[in-house]
Amino acid sequence: MASSSSNVASAPASEPVRAQLQGAEADALITSTDPEHPANLICELCRDFYTLGWVTGTGGGISIRHGKHVYLAPSGVQKERIKPEHIFVLPFAQSSVPKPGSQRDFLRIPTRVGLKESACTPLFWNAFTLRSAGACIHTHSQHAVLLTLLLGKSAKSFRISHQEMIKGVRLGGSGKTLRFFDTLEVPIIENTADEEDLTEGMAKAMEEYPNAAAILVRRHGVYIWGNTWEQAKIQAECLDYLFEMGCKMIQAGLPLVGDD
Amino acid sequence: MASSSSNVASAPASEPVRAQLQGAEADALITSTDPEHPANLICELCRDFYTLGWVTGTGGGISIRHGKHVYLAPSGVQKERIKPEHIFVLPFAQSSVPKPGSQRDFLRIPTRVGLKESACTPLFWNAFTLRSAGACIHTHSQHAVLLTLLLGKSAKSFRISHQEMIKGVRLGGSGKTLRFFDTLEVPIIENTADEEDLTEGMAKAMEEYPNAAAILVRRHGVYIWGNTWEQAKIQAECLDYLFEMGCKMIQAGLPLVGDD
Amino acid sequence: MASSSSNVASAPASEPVRAQLQGAEADALITSTDPEHPANLICELCRDFYTLGWVTGTGGGISIRHGKHVYLAPSGVQKERIKPEHIFVLPFAQSSVPKPGSQRDFLRIPTRVGLKESACTPLFWNAFTLRSAGACIHTHSQHAVLLTLLLGKSAKSFRISHQEMIKGVRLGGSGKTLRFFDTLEVPIIENTADEEDLTEGMAKAMEEYPNAAAILVRRHGVYIWGNTWEQAKIQAECLDYLFEMGCKMIQAGLPLVGDD
Amino acid sequence: MASSSSNVASAPASEPVRAQLQGAEADALITSTDPEHPANLICELCRDFYTLGWVTGTGGGISIRHGKHVYLAPSGVQKERIKPEHIFVLPFAQSSVPKPGSQRDFLRIPTRVGLKESACTPLFWNAFTLRSAGACIHTHSQHAVLLTLLLGKSAKSFRISHQEMIKGVRLGGSGKTLRFFDTLEVPIIENTADEEDLTEGMAKAMEEYPNAAAILVRRHGVYIWGNTWEQAKIQAECLDYLFEMGCKMIQAGLPLVGDD
């Protein structure tokens, strides 16, 4: 039970206490020989994303929703070295966004001392609840960050058209794919001192831009989601390609929208 | 038979129905312990091309003609994760260009639900029929796309000379290799909303430029072919090198043709 | 004993002679099946750093302090091909900075002919003694070197703010992490003809900038440390990211400090 | 004997015929379980160089002199896929530079049809005879090629000073290492239509610049050598780093020589 675990805050009396799993029952959630089990996939994908420069220096990560469970990487650790036993598991519920710092609601908390759940948890939740996403990727890709700088402080979004790679991005991240002549638009929100304080701004941008497949965070990175981990990864690759191309086009003085 | 397979459209009565292979007979086409069998090679090469940034976000791919069979990767899937059992096989015939969306003529269709043959099929066919190619590679390399943007909308081709790497490219893609002092010319065609609509434009460019070893598609990528998969890959590497060098030379204000 | 080993200089009579380990006793210091043992880690991390372009051409490296022992890579060898048996081991003492060229104080000297201890040894010692660091990384990253050139000869430090990746860097390299709005400052010292002659300049800069997590060396590279090898590596990745971003921002005419 | 092998040209009566090895005797030259045997090393290093972008599209390669034998990769094949059985072996003699196209003097010729010895053979021989080198590396690195373009047609050499990485380069390629304050100079020769026609120009530049550790070939690449394969590789990495840094400095308007 949560209250018997030393690294779990006691729940106030006014809030319901959920059953936190322990030992073998908890480990069963993250133990599988299937390489596509979320606990294995998160480790593999984090290694891949590290190679792409998306999650160096512990930045970024991925969360996967698997049925009624959400799998999360820990915070502040080397993402390319995560192992399944380091994965956090939360029950998924539309109504409850987990609060960073409180591990009250977790089904599984890694036993290794010092591991904390990702500060991105409530931001991943935005994708799960507002877009019914099955996975959400967060990167600190330099292409995303440099793009928000090159576009300038007054730019509220990144817009680009007439690029084949636009066709790999879906309306709202989970709808049908865009067409070559469509204009892709990704809103940009301002960064905050603490990652969890981005939650409201990200939710607001997702509501204002219902067709957006991602949210750029100025001087920080990007959040990208999809119905499945495959669709989230495919869109992350297409969008990162377009962010990089956008940087090069701005630097070469080429217009981002239209085909001139 | 095709009509008994749930993910194959029934052929209209007015068209001849070919024998589609099923089960073990179909799988024999893609099962081999030889790493150079097309079904194995396509998987390996797609992983390599992913690392080079040529086929991220499901874009691009490779098709190999092996005797009387053509091997194709599926469309819209992560190219670096393809397995031999995902490969489509078509009979090769000069006269019949397979229509995208119709799987009537396929010898083997993967049984995994949701796999579609590559939309590039008729474009690969251009290389097989107009150049007798044995393999055709399609990439979304940023070097190819940026080059078509830097050259400007009025440029009908990319021309470069006096580069050692030109010597790795063959006349028409399948003839003798170019010399250092030759001018390499790669035509650029405009992109279309749907990939199969490029078929005619690509064929026209191949006829207008019989010495061209590749066709650039503005804001999209490039198609490159060769007598064998080795020659297609070697030329893809030489051309991508020259596209990258071309971008750098344009940005540095250096002339692409001549040795000044 | 040291005096019986042919590749160890005899200690002058006026200096105390330490016991140098030989044979199995010496090898026990670098033999472990634990991949996180310093002798194994240094080899693995050097391979990783090579891939990142930090230690090509034998440049750069890492030293790890493990209890009362300091582990060092050899000098002038291919860092991506180091094996545990090539590792030097020194006793750690605050008071004694080992002099390059003298192997008198070493606990273990590799038996392979021609291996010399890293010329960076006294610079790593600065991190161990002045910051109580547990590990110190030295890179020749082009981002670090180009940054010192782009900032110009009069710049005494690199300053940047409003970047999410700043949050992965610690006050003084071993204190609490910086915040998004903090300004990160990394002092730049001038290079010297011989690496060991940087020792004093690096120590002086560390004293003048007690909050600095690293020291840039103009036209040379950077020294970065942390309480543990993990913290040193995380900070090296965050700082290298910021050095690269700094170069791009300077080249794009963007201010490094502030959020305009 | 040479005359009994179908892919070996008959020697004219006026020239001495050497004994060419056949079968098991020939294969013994390239068969070893030692990863540092030249036949194994050439394959491993070509894979590494491919990853660095030095030998894509079959360009570039490495030759290693091992006692009285010289090991060579074949020409025009994918360098990252070479196997030991594809390696050519020549006897080493100061006086005889092998002529491209003639395989008369070879000790071992691979039996796979279509393999030709590298067209770089006489250029590697320059390094072996004029500098007593033990290994010679040829790359088509874009950094080398772009540098020769950015320096302009009138530049007869690349000169750079005040870079730490200069210290990894040796006087003449095989002497003592340069110092930080030394000016590194690499001559640039003009490219020719055929690779073997570079032989004389390369030899002339090596005589004019006895301290040069490499020869740049404009619009083509670079030849780099060393006493051993390790020294050749280390210098290739240091020089490629300096070529890349040189390009960036020229593009940023920074002087290459001096420390302003």
Side-chain angles (χ1 to χ4, degrees), chain C residues 49-127:
Chain C
F49 295 167
Y50 178 82
T51 303
L52 295 171
W54 291 0
V55 299
T56 60
T58 80
I62 178 169
S63 176
I64 297 177
R65 186 161 67 85
H66 184 64
K68 54 186 182 176
H69 296 150
V70 170
Y71 289 75
L72 284 168
S75 172
V77 299
Q78 299 176 79
K79 292 294 189 292
E80 74 281 15
R81 290 173 181 260
I82 292 172
K83 294 178 182 166
E85 59 262 32
H86 304 154
I87 301 288
F88 287 79
V89 186
L90 268 166
F92 178 67
Q94 281 280 348
S95 52
S96 69
V97 180
K99 281 189 193 128
S102 157
Q103 298 185 338
R104 195 175 46 84
D105 291 339
F106 279 73
L107 278 175
R108 181 186 189 270
I109 293 173
T111 52
R112 189 166 113 175
V113 174
L115 289 185
K116 292 196 303 179
E117 81 281 12
S118 172
C120 306
T121 308
L123 291 94
F124 293 145
W125 229 257
N126 276 336

Side-chain angles (χ1 to χ4, degrees), chain B:
Chain B
M1 287 190 295
S3 57
S4 70
S5 169
S6 65
N7 59 348
V8 174
S10 306
S14 60
E15 295 186 45
V17 175
R18 287 172 192 267
Q20 189 166 102
L21 303 179
Q22 304 289 337
E25 209 178 358
D27 286 348
L29 287 172
I30 51 92
T31 306
S32 170
T33 57
D34 179 1
E36 300 218 353
H37 183 281
N40 295 330
L41 261 180
I42 287 176
C43 302
E44 180 192 350
L45 293 172
C46 280
R47 283 193 299 272
D48 292 345
F49 296 168
Y50 178 82
T51 303
L52 295 170
W54 291 0
V55 299
T56 59
T58 82
I62 179 169
S63 175
I64 297 177
R65 184 161 68 85
H66 184 62
K68 54 187 184 175
H69 296 150
V70 171
Y71 290 75
L72 285 167
S75 172
V77 299
Q78 299 176 79
K79 291 295 189 293
E80 74 280 15
R81 290 173 181 261
I82 292 172
K83 293 179 182 165
E85 59 261 34
H86 304 154
I87 301 289
F88 287 79
V89 186
L90 268 166
F92 178 68
Q94 281 280 347
S95 53
S96 70
V97 179
K99 282 190 191 128
S102 157
Q103 298 185 339
R104 194 175 47 83
D105 291 340
F106 278 74
L107 279 175
R108 181 185 189 272
I109 293 173
T111 52
R112 191 167 112 174
V113 174
L115 289 185
K116 292 196 304 179
E117 80 281 12
S118 171
C120 307
T121 307
L123 291 93
F124 292 145
W125 229 257
N126 277 337
F128 298 147
T129 58
L130 300 179
R131 290 287 203 277
S132 302
C136 186
I137 295 170
H138 173 43
T139 90
H140 287 190
S141 165
Q142 293 219 352
H143 305 134
V145 173
L146 184 62
L147 183 65
T148 67
L149 295 171
L150 290 174
L151 286 169
K153 205 176 176 177
S154 61
K156 298 304 176 206
S157 69
F158 164 59
R159 298 175 75 244
I160 192 166
S161 75
H162 292 81
Q163 287 283 342
E164 183 69 12
M165 289 295 267
I166 287 175
K167 293 164 65 178
V169 183
R170 292 173 183 275
L171 264 181
S174 50
K176 62 179 185 176
T177 50
L178 296 182
R179 292 164 304 173
F180 175 68
F181 298 111
D182 288 337
T183 297
L184 169 82
E185 182 162 21
V186 182
I188 305 173
I189 63 173
E190 299 303 318
N191 200 26
T192 52
D194 292 309
E195 193 130 17
E196 57 262 32
D197 294 339
L198 285 171
T199 312
E200 200 180 339
M202 178 181 169
K204 189 156 162 268
M206 289 173 78
E207 281 155 12
E208 274 179 36
Y209 296 81
N211 290 340
I215 304 291
L216 281 161
V217 185
R218 203 182 314 276
R219 298 174 173 275
H220 178 158
V222 65
Y223 284 86
I224 301 168
W225 55 84
N227 289 325
T228 60
W229 72 266
E230 290 97 333
Q231 287 191 14
K233 174 171 172 288
I234 289 168
Q235 294 187 86
E237 289 175 0
C238 291
L239 287 165
D240 200 64
Y241 177 107
L242 293 166
F243 297 158
E244 183 177 0
M245 186 63 73
C247 288
K248 290 176 182 170
M249 290 175 76
I250 293 170
Q251 290 178 314
L254 296 165
L256 296 175
V257 177
D259 63 347
D260 283 328

Side-chain angles (χ1 to χ4, degrees), chain C residues 26-41 43 66 71 84-85:
Chain C
D27 286 348
L29 286 171
I30 51 92
T31 307
S32 169
T33 57
D34 179 2
E36 300 219 352
H37 183 281
N40 296 329
L41 260 180
C43 302
H66 184 64
Y71 289 75
E85 59 262 32

Side-chain angles (χ1 to χ4, degrees), chain A residues 36-81:
Chain A
E36 300 218 353
H37 183 280
N40 295 330
L41 261 180
I42 287 176
C43 302
E44 181 192 350
L45 293 172
C46 280
R47 283 194 298 274
D48 292 344
F49 295 167
Y50 178 82
T51 304
L52 295 171
W54 291 0
V55 299
T56 59
T58 80
I62 179 169
S63 176
I64 297 177
R65 185 161 67 86
H66 184 63
K68 55 186 182 175
H69 296 150
V70 170
Y71 289 76
L72 284 168
S75 172
V77 300
Q78 299 176 79
K79 291 295 189 293
E80 75 281 15
R81 290 172 181 261

